[in-house]
Amino acid sequence: MQSQGNLFQEGFKNQFRGVTLEELFAESMLSGHLTDSNCFRLRAALLEGSLSEEHRAIITRILYSLRRGTLKIMD
């Protein structure tokens, strides 16, 4: 039986075309931007409610960076 975190990671990979949440975080922080569609997908993942604490912390950090202006949303 797979853990809940693994199930989420598989679902997240499908949703983001093979990119894990950790990879999305690293790519966003290095590039300084997040696509609009990825931002909506992150919100949907938060609303889904099946996130581990680690994944919730990653998404919270991304959203915090957006609020502070460190990350920009690109179309």
Side-chain angles (χ1 to χ4, degrees):
M1 180 178 210
Q2 293 181 334
S3 71
Q4 192 175 28
N6 287 342
L7 287 174
F8 169 76
Q9 199 65 352
E10 285 180 16
F12 198 83
K13 276 186 168 186
N14 291 336
Q15 194 174 19
F16 285 92
R17 297 183 184 105
V19 177
T20 65
L21 182 57
E22 290 83 357
E23 291 168 341
L24 178 68
F25 175 75
E27 182 181 310
S28 298
M29 290 301 173
L30 287 174
S31 69
H33 70 272
L34 184 68
T35 64
D36 192 37
S37 60
N38 282 345
C39 190
F40 283 115
R41 288 180 181 129
L42 289 173
R43 290 179 193 162
L46 277 172
L47 292 174
E48 192 175 286
S50 63
L51 295 171
S52 68
E53 284 299 315
E54 180 182 323
H55 289 140
R56 185 176 298 277
I58 290 171
I59 293 174
T60 300
R61 190 172 269 190
I62 290 171
L63 295 175
Y64 179 77
S65 296
L66 287 167
R67 282 194 312 265
R68 298 271 302 173
T70 312
L71 282 177
K72 306 268 189 244
I73 297 177
M74 306 293 284
D75 291 332

